[in-house]
Amino acid sequence: MYKSNSKEKHIKKPNAALKNNKFKISLALLIIIALAFSVFTVNSSANERASDIFHRVNPERRMLYPGGMPFGVRFNTKGLIIVGISEVPTESGSVSPARTSGLRVGDIITFAGDDSVNTPEELTKSINRSSGKELSLKILRSGKERIVNVTPVKSSDDGNYRLGLFVRCECAGIGTVSYIIPESLDFAGLGHGVCDRDSGALIPFLSGNVTNVIIGEVIKGKCGIPGELHGHLGKMPTGTLSGNLKTGIYGKFEKLPEELFYSSPIPAAFEDEVKEGKAEILCTTASNKICKYEILIECIDFKDVRNKNFSIRITDKKLISETGGIVQGMSGSPIIQDGKLIGAVTHVLVDDPATGYGIFIENMLKEANIPQPLAS
């Protein structure tokens, strides 16, 4: 009996060990699979670009009319841009309260005391209301808010209180339309915002209109000297502006422009479809007709989330002979590759006017969905 019991135990022992080993192996496999899946998920999430998120939120490809036509921009600024500082004649001599307080050309005055100021008349009213007492001005300098205290003085010329400032509340210029949405006639142009020339800060937008443009002259770009399209802005609005953002000027046309290069909308490319190599741009020069010109996309930077996503080189001899390359006013010119609208021209390299930068059309579309803050 003892041997029999011993044998019985000896036979059952390996079966139990086998079951135990199988359990351990299964558990180990499950842990390995779970860890592998976890690592894959973390890496995928970490490597996912903004474009991938945009694809999920916007799974359907947008169809757009490429632009290429010039448009005139007239908009009122939110605040007053200081364009000059002067002396104020007083009974005790000429003084400049603005200069003494540290105000500079390029500063944007948004508040005088508790009053928002968007016109010279509003600022004049606040200055006179101070009766010569210290006035607190809220300004934007290089995009950052500051408070500057200034004391108005009474002018001996007319008896009004003054600071010694020249200001303006409007901006005007020429750009090129990048795309038009067929269903709504919403559009975008420039590929970059309208900025202060010295600081590069975005000029606050209040309201504005779009007009047509007739190109009258092309100033060719040279090494060190950027060229420019000179044109005449129409008097009648052809649409309204809704925002001045870092990726361009946005607005809405009253009706579809007649001078379209493509009679039907074409697909907008996702950024990961853009590749180095040949492409074309659409732009208007002295002929006042939209024409297509050859370019090369030389380098793509997926990390830049704004408006220098890839570098471009003008290779079309006709365009180079006419403009020298990329000139001011061509900003916003749509870029076509493989039948898709991939982006727009944004900048020119001053030392080499045949080269510049472009923005992904996807970045322009994404920012178009961001509501523009209303003026307070």
Side-chain angles (χ1 to χ4, degrees), residues 169-187:
C169 59
E170 295 180 341
C171 285
I174 295 173
T176 299
V177 176
S178 303
Y179 70 77
I180 305 169
I181 298 176
E183 301 83 5
S184 62
L185 301 187
D186 289 320
F187 78 92

Side-chain angles (χ1 to χ4, degrees), residues 287-305:
S287 67
N288 281 290
K289 292 182 179 180
I290 302 173
C291 295
K292 181 184 286 188
Y293 301 98
E294 295 178 354
I295 68 167
L296 276 180
I297 297 175
E298 296 186 318
C299 183
I300 301 173
D301 182 3
F302 291 106
K303 295 179 181 178
D304 190 301
V305 296

Side-chain angles (χ1 to χ4, degrees), residues 100 128 139 186 260 344 354:
T100 302
N128 279 319
I139 68 167
D186 289 320
L260 290 171

Side-chain angles (χ1 to χ4, degrees), residues 33 45 69 110 115 145 147 154-155 178 211 214 259 269 271 280 294 315 318 341 346 353 370:
I33 292 170
S45 176
M69 67 287 291
T110 56
D115 302 322
E145 279 192 349
I147 300 296
K154 182 179 285 189
S155 170
S178 303
T211 67
I214 301 297
E259 63 272 31
E271 67 175 50
E280 300 89 27
E294 295 178 354
T315 56
K318 182 180 178 182
L341 177 57
T346 60
I370 301 175

Side-chain angles (χ1 to χ4, degrees), residues 71 176-179 187-195 202 243-250 304-309 331-333 343-347 358-370 372:
F71 71 109
T176 299
V177 176
S178 303
Y179 70 77
F187 78 92
L190 266 68
H192 60 77
V194 178
C195 300
L202 202 65
N244 177 35
L245 304 177
K246 290 183 179 179
T247 56
I249 284 282
Y250 293 82
D304 190 301
V305 296
R306 289 299 180 185
N307 51 28
K308 290 184 179 180
N309 302 131
S331 293
S333 297
V345 177
T346 60
H347 297 80
I359 181 176
F360 293 132
I361 206 70
E362 189 171 317
N363 280 355
M364 297 183 76
L365 289 168
K366 280 188 285 189
E367 190 151 37
N369 293 327
I370 301 175
Q372 175 74 1

Side-chain angles (χ1 to χ4, degrees), residues 28-280:
L29 285 172
L30 286 172
I31 292 172
I32 291 170
I33 292 170
L35 286 172
F37 180 78
S38 175
V39 171
F40 174 78
T41 303
V42 171
N43 286 340
S44 296
S45 176
N47 293 329
E48 186 176 36
R49 295 198 305 265
S51 65
D52 300 320
I53 298 171
F54 185 69
H55 293 182
R56 290 204 313 272
V57 177
N58 302 271
E60 295 185 5
R61 187 184 297 277
R62 177 78 76 173
M63 300 295 290
L64 303 170
Y65 283 111
M69 67 287 291
F71 71 109
V73 174
R74 285 196 180 101
F75 74 81
N76 300 313
T77 61
K78 185 181 178 183
L80 298 170
I81 304 172
I82 298 177
V83 295
I85 293 177
S86 65
E87 301 288 317
V88 181
T90 69
E91 292 181 354
S92 56
S94 295
V95 295
S96 178
R99 185 177 292 111
T100 302
S101 69
L103 288 170
R104 304 176 186 172
V105 171
D107 289 345
I108 301 173
I109 304 171
T110 56
F111 277 83
D114 295 327
D115 302 322
S116 63
V117 289
N118 294 310
T119 66
E121 292 76 17
E122 290 173 344
L123 179 60
T124 298
K125 187 180 294 186
S126 294
I127 292 170
N128 279 319
R129 196 183 296 136
S130 73
S131 299
K133 295 180 181 179
E134 187 178 72
L135 183 63
S136 176
L137 300 181
K138 183 184 288 187
I139 68 167
L140 285 173
R141 179 179 293 169
S142 300
K144 297 180 180 179
E145 279 192 349
R146 295 170 178 254
I147 300 296
V148 175
N149 295 316
V150 59
T151 304
V153 294
K154 182 179 285 189
S155 170
S156 57
D157 286 343
D158 55 15
N160 290 320
Y161 287 95
R162 300 189 181 279
L163 298 180
L165 287 176
F166 294 104
V167 297
R168 62 179 171 86
C169 59
E170 295 180 341
C171 285
I174 295 173
T176 299
V177 176
S178 303
Y179 70 77
I180 305 169
I181 298 176
E183 301 83 5
S184 62
L185 301 187
D186 289 320
F187 78 92
L190 266 68
H192 60 77
V194 178
C195 300
D196 176 71
R197 182 172 297 180
D198 296 320
S199 68
L202 202 65
I203 294 176
F205 170 85
L206 184 63
S207 62
N209 292 316
V210 187
T211 67
N212 60 5
V213 169
I214 301 297
I215 302 298
E217 182 185 15
V218 176
I219 306 298
K220 290 185 66 172
K222 300 177 181 179
C223 182
I225 305 174
E228 188 175 358
L229 298 179
H230 285 181
H232 307 285
L233 277 64
K235 295 181 179 180
M236 297 300 295
T238 57
T240 56
L241 294 176
S242 58
N244 177 35
L245 304 177
K246 290 183 179 179
T247 56
I249 284 282
Y250 293 82
K252 188 184 190 75
F253 282 120
E254 293 177 355
K255 62 180 182 179
L256 192 65
E258 296 179 357
E259 63 272 31
L260 290 171
F261 189 86
Y262 287 86
S263 58
S264 300
I266 67 172
F270 295 119
E271 67 175 50
D272 52 15
E273 295 176 310
V274 181
K275 61 191 180 194
E276 295 180 6
K278 292 183 179 181
E280 300 89 27

